[in-house]
Amino acid sequence: QGARKIAEGDFSHRVEIKQRDELGQLADTFNEMGAGLEERDRVRNLLGKVVSPEIAEELLSRQIELGGEERVVTVLFSDIRNFCSLCEKLAPGEVVALLNAWFTRAHEVIEHHGGVVDKYIGDAVMALFGAPLDKPDAAGRAVGASLDLQQAVQQLNKELIADGTPELNIGIGIHTDRVLAGNMGSASRLNYTVIGDGVNLASRLEGLCKYYGVESIVSEDTRKQASAYAFRELDRVCVKGKQQPVTIYQPLGPAQQDDATLARHQQALNAYRNRQWQRAVRLFSTLAREAPSDRLYQLYLERTRALAQQPPGPDWNGVFQHSRK
Amino acid sequence: QGARKIAEGDFSHRVEIKQRDELGQLADTFNEMGAGLEERDRVRNLLGKVVSPEIAEELLSRQIELGGEERVVTVLFSDIRNFCSLCEKLAPGEVVALLNAWFTRAHEVIEHHGGVVDKYIGDAVMALFGAPLDKPDAAGRAVGASLDLQQAVQQLNKELIADGTPELNIGIGIHTDRVLAGNMGSASRLNYTVIGDGVNLASRLEGLCKYYGVESIVSEDTRKQASAYAFRELDRVCVKGKQQPVTIYQPLGPAQQDDATLARHQQALNAYRNRQWQRAVRLFSTLAREAPSDRLYQLYLERTRALAQQPPGPDWNGVFQHSRK
């Protein structure tokens, strides 16, 4: 009877036999084992919380070995852009509560799109799509998650405003690359994660959001693999630690048939790249007038006007150098 | 008999009763429970590896709640200063192997000194002293760990040179501060860690190692609490994101009775602070001649010569502004 209950998964069941003979001893052992199994479930549950359930499965199903394998992974970095100023305005406990409120939503969104939270680093979230398990359309999932993360922030901000708490602003960087995925660390303190240049690039792209006045930036490699979404080309850049220039994009939403504004933005960008300064200034001016709060048009207006006054040398290739981290 | 074996912790023991009656069913349940208990140990062991045994205990012993408590913690950041150039010279698998070889040693040293590895972030290690459990002399432990980490790198480098692998260089930053410690994240994906300005400062100090040409930098708050060690004062600085200037130090080793060179360095530094440029140049020149590879003396020679030529305004307070991360 007790055995059956336990076999059915009810580990809290205890056999009540108070005898000092063999049967009593058996009952004691049975009860101890039941407690042990309860603990197993508790520990297993906890393991799935401190890593992610997917990574916990991966760790439990294989012999744990330090080392990695190369695989294509989409890495998403999200961080709170005004975190320092939030910290100044709030009591420490409020900061933690706010951060956890945000992390809880971010985690839900990432998981909903099939990603896993790799780790929290201060106020930042690092998430993986396509690792530890292969996922079809990992890049598209990450882009979808970035759009929903921005929605989740808006939603959270509504509640924060109602409470008189300052709003959050987040920035997101996404890049798809061949990276090293595996168990990093020491045999007795390890961490399933991904490392490599590609990971750093995702983090660098996140750092550029403020400069372009956008909420998310994805690399060309991510954009190519996320054809269900529409993007606005932001720039062609060199970032610190990368030799090759990278074209970067802002995800806008689901891909549409036609977007006239987007087409005009691309024309303006082409004019800039082709050194047609006057034409670029004219096109960006019109766009800026239509969307005065869009920092990107202002940015290009300034750049193009400066270049029109002092045209660059013949080696100018339109690549913008971001030297800062 | 079987019950006794299991009670003694031998969960691999199985009862061999092949009967289709109640006793047979009991034996089956018994065996399943045994397997379950083996799994519990495996999961528990794994949990202690993905967090740290100390943090695992902390997580298991309390009801898990998101949120933190303020406490004084010493945070140590260590990262590989030439990691990018290593990545270029090595195959991806070699990078992971090298990184894990280093992390394994770093983890040993940190644990030996009573710290816990909070997480690995790329090629960096973040370690805590004084959390999750209070530790007497947390600051001293961290300083001791930093000295041993440098020794461990030297040891590893000897082996790497023998293998023809490029050497590692690490930088370490340590700061002791009141931070928020607790479970960060979402209820279903959490992380025991510390957050706050103090954590960022430890990371910033690590970033300054290259500038000063030293292997480790500790803040004044750490130095004050680590009286068993000798330190060399490096500078008084403002780092990005901190209003208050911080005096920073290089840990040298166990505190000694007298160190004549150190006393002369402090004299030179005092001369610099007191705007006695010629005296400072003379003192730093002598020190630089005695230790030509010591970047710090060169740095102060350059600074002092420049200041002697163009004396700063009356608001100069000797605080050096580090604007970069």
Side-chain angles (χ1 to χ4, degrees):
Chain A
Q1 316 70 342
R4 206 170 302 127
K5 282 227 170 189
I6 296 238
E8 285 160 5
D10 176 9
F11 305 136
S12 66
H13 187 82
R14 298 286 177 273
V15 187
E16 281 181 41
I17 303 179
K18 295 200 177 8
Q19 286 174 262
R20 298 250 39 87
D21 61 3
E22 283 215 337
L23 202 61
Q25 222 177 55
L26 184 65
D28 285 349
T29 306
F30 219 91
N31 290 341
E32 276 166 32
M33 287 172 83
L37 293 176
E38 274 191 292
E39 199 195 341
R40 175 197 60 181
D41 288 353
R42 208 156 53 90
V43 180
R44 193 174 188 139
N45 184 16
L46 190 56
L47 180 68
K49 287 178 178 181
V50 296
V51 291
S52 78
E54 240 178 59
I55 289 171
E57 271 316 310
E58 179 75 12
L59 288 171
L60 284 169
S61 66
R62 299 199 197 184
Q63 194 63 32
I64 307 283
E65 273 173 31
L66 281 178
E69 42 167 358
E70 282 191 281
R71 59 194 298 168
V72 175
V73 174
T74 299
V75 182
L76 181 152
F77 270 95
S78 150
D79 94 344
I80 298 176
R81 274 157 57 188
N82 55 335
F83 187 64
C84 284
S85 75
L86 284 177
C87 288
E88 283 166 19
K89 285 174 200 147
L90 298 173
E94 292 174 317
V95 172
V96 177
L98 179 58
L99 210 47
N100 284 339
W102 165 240
F103 284 161
T104 298
R105 284 161 205 238
H107 171 263
E108 276 167 17
V109 169
I110 288 159
E111 198 161 68
H112 173 75
H113 285 273
V116 301
V117 171
D118 176 284
K119 55 176 151 279
Y120 306 104
I121 309 167
D123 59 311
V125 179
M126 173 175 163
L128 311 178
F129 295 78
L133 302 179
D134 264 325
K135 288 271 152 107
D137 190 28
R141 286 168 186 271
V143 172
S146 77
L147 294 165
D148 282 357
L149 283 170
Q150 296 296 351
Q151 286 234 309
V153 171
Q154 299 308 324
Q155 185 55 44
L156 181 58
N157 279 342
K158 275 186 204 157
E159 297 166 32
L160 294 177
I161 294 163
D163 290 350
T165 312
E167 288 181 62
L168 297 183
N169 291 305
I170 64 161
I172 293 173
I174 305 175
H175 176 50
T176 305
D177 211 338
R178 181 165 289 276
V179 297
L180 280 153
N183 292 313
M184 303 300 303
S186 86
S188 49
R189 178 71 183 82
L190 49 81
N191 192 199
Y192 181 94
T193 189
V194 295
I195 58 161
D197 261 11
V199 184
N200 300 341
L201 182 58
S203 165
R204 295 273 154 80
L205 295 185
E206 178 266 299
L208 297 182
C209 285
K210 196 179 175 185
Y211 175 82
Y212 292 99
V214 298
E215 293 160 328
S216 308
I217 295 180
V218 314
S219 71
E220 182 146 34
D221 292 314
T222 298
R223 194 209 66 142
K224 275 184 196 152
Q225 293 174 48
S227 52
Y229 293 94
F231 297 88
R232 176 165 75 159
E233 185 174 335
L234 291 174
D235 208 352
R236 209 171 284 164
V237 297
C238 259
V239 295
K240 195 170 175 281
K242 268 262 175 185
Q243 317 272 301
Q244 284 291 328
V246 186
T247 309
I248 59 173
Y249 298 85
Q250 172 191 18
L252 298 175
Q256 290 169 310
Q257 286 301 87
D258 288 301
D259 185 328
T261 313
L262 200 54
R264 282 160 56 218
H265 167 68
Q266 196 62 52
Q267 278 171 9
L269 207 55
N270 293 343
Y272 164 82
R273 298 249 166 85
N274 294 327
R275 298 163 171 262
Q276 302 168 318
W277 314 121
Q278 299 316 328
R279 179 171 150 79
V281 167
R282 206 171 56 241
L283 292 169
F284 280 123
S285 295
T286 315
L287 288 163
R289 216 175 305 121
E290 289 169 19
S293 65
D294 200 323
R295 186 168 149 69
L296 188 68
Y297 301 136
Q298 299 298 338
L299 202 75
Y300 273 103
L301 264 181
E302 285 164 27
R303 266 200 215 170
T304 319
R305 281 183 180 138
L307 288 166
Q309 295 230 319
Q310 287 204 313
D315 59 337
W316 186 81
N317 57 0
V319 173
F320 192 79
Q321 205 78 27
H322 284 283
S323 55
R324 280 188 55 226
K325 274 196 181 178
Chain B
Q1 317 70 344
R4 207 169 303 129
K5 283 226 170 189
I6 297 239
E8 285 160 5
D10 176 10
F11 304 136
S12 65
H13 187 82
R14 296 289 176 271
V15 187
E16 280 182 42
I17 304 181
K18 294 202 177 8
Q19 284 174 262
R20 298 250 39 87
D21 61 3
E22 283 214 338
L23 201 61
Q25 223 179 54
L26 184 64
D28 285 349
T29 306
F30 220 89
N31 291 341
E32 277 166 33
M33 287 171 85
L37 293 177
E38 275 192 291
E39 200 195 340
R40 175 198 59 181
D41 287 354
R42 207 156 54 89
V43 180
R44 196 177 184 137
N45 184 15
L46 190 58
L47 180 68
K49 288 179 178 180
V50 297
V51 289
S52 78
E54 239 178 60
I55 290 171
E57 271 315 311
E58 179 75 12
L59 288 171
L60 283 168
S61 66
R62 300 199 197 183
Q63 195 63 31
I64 306 282
E65 272 173 32
L66 282 178
E69 42 167 357
E70 282 191 280
R71 59 193 298 168
V72 175
V73 175
T74 299
V75 182
L76 180 152
F77 270 95
S78 150
D79 94 342
I80 298 177
R81 275 157 56 187
N82 56 336
F83 188 64
C84 285
S85 75
L86 285 177
C87 288
E88 282 165 20
K89 285 174 201 149
L90 299 173
E94 291 173 317
V95 172
V96 177
L98 179 59
L99 211 47
N100 283 341
W102 165 240
F103 284 161
T104 298
R105 284 161 205 239
H107 171 263
E108 275 167 17
V109 169
I110 288 159
E111 199 160 67
H112 173 74
H113 285 273
V116 300
V117 172
D118 176 285
K119 53 176 152 279
Y120 306 105
I121 309 166
D123 59 312
V125 179
M126 174 176 162
L128 310 178
F129 295 78
L133 302 180
D134 264 325
K135 289 269 152 110
D137 189 28
R141 287 167 186 270
V143 172
S146 77
L147 294 165
D148 282 357
L149 284 169
Q150 296 297 352
Q151 285 234 308
V153 171
Q154 299 309 323
Q155 185 55 44
L156 182 58
N157 280 342
K158 276 187 204 157
E159 296 166 31
L160 295 177
I161 293 164
D163 290 351
T165 311
E167 289 180 61
L168 297 182
N169 291 306
I170 64 161
I172 293 174
I174 305 175
H175 176 51
T176 305
D177 211 337
R178 181 164 289 276
V179 298
L180 280 153
N183 293 311
M184 303 300 303
S186 86
S188 49
R189 177 72 183 84
L190 49 82
N191 193 198
Y192 181 94
T193 189
V194 295
I195 59 161
D197 261 11
V199 184
N200 300 341
L201 181 58
S203 165
R204 295 273 154 80
L205 295 186
E206 179 267 299
L208 296 183
C209 284
K210 197 179 173 183
Y211 175 82
Y212 292 99
V214 298
E215 295 160 327
S216 308
I217 295 181
V218 314
S219 70
E220 182 147 33
D221 292 313
T222 298
R223 195 208 65 142
K224 274 185 197 152
Q225 294 176 47
S227 52
Y229 294 93
F231 296 88
R232 177 166 74 159
E233 186 174 334
L234 291 172
D235 207 353
R236 208 172 284 165
V237 299
C238 259
V239 297
K240 195 170 176 283
K242 268 262 176 186
Q243 317 273 298
Q244 285 291 328
V246 185
T247 309
I248 59 173
Y249 298 86
Q250 173 192 17
L252 299 175
Q256 290 169 309
Q257 286 301 86
D258 288 302
D259 185 328
T261 313
L262 200 55
R264 282 159 57 218
H265 166 69
Q266 196 61 52
Q267 278 171 9
L269 207 56
N270 291 345
Y272 163 83
R273 297 249 167 85
N274 293 327
R275 300 163 170 262
Q276 301 168 317
W277 314 121
Q278 298 316 327
R279 178 170 151 79
V281 167
R282 206 171 56 241
L283 292 169
F284 279 122
S285 296
T286 314
L287 289 163
R289 217 175 304 121
E290 289 168 19
S293 65
D294 199 322
R295 188 169 148 68
L296 188 69
Y297 301 138
Q298 300 297 337
L299 202 76
Y300 272 103
L301 263 181
E302 285 164 28
R303 266 199 215 171
T304 318
R305 281 183 180 138
L307 288 167
Q309 295 231 319
Q310 287 204 314
D315 59 338
W316 186 81
N317 57 359
V319 173
F320 192 78
Q321 204 78 26
H322 284 283
S323 55
R324 281 187 53 226
K325 275 197 181 178

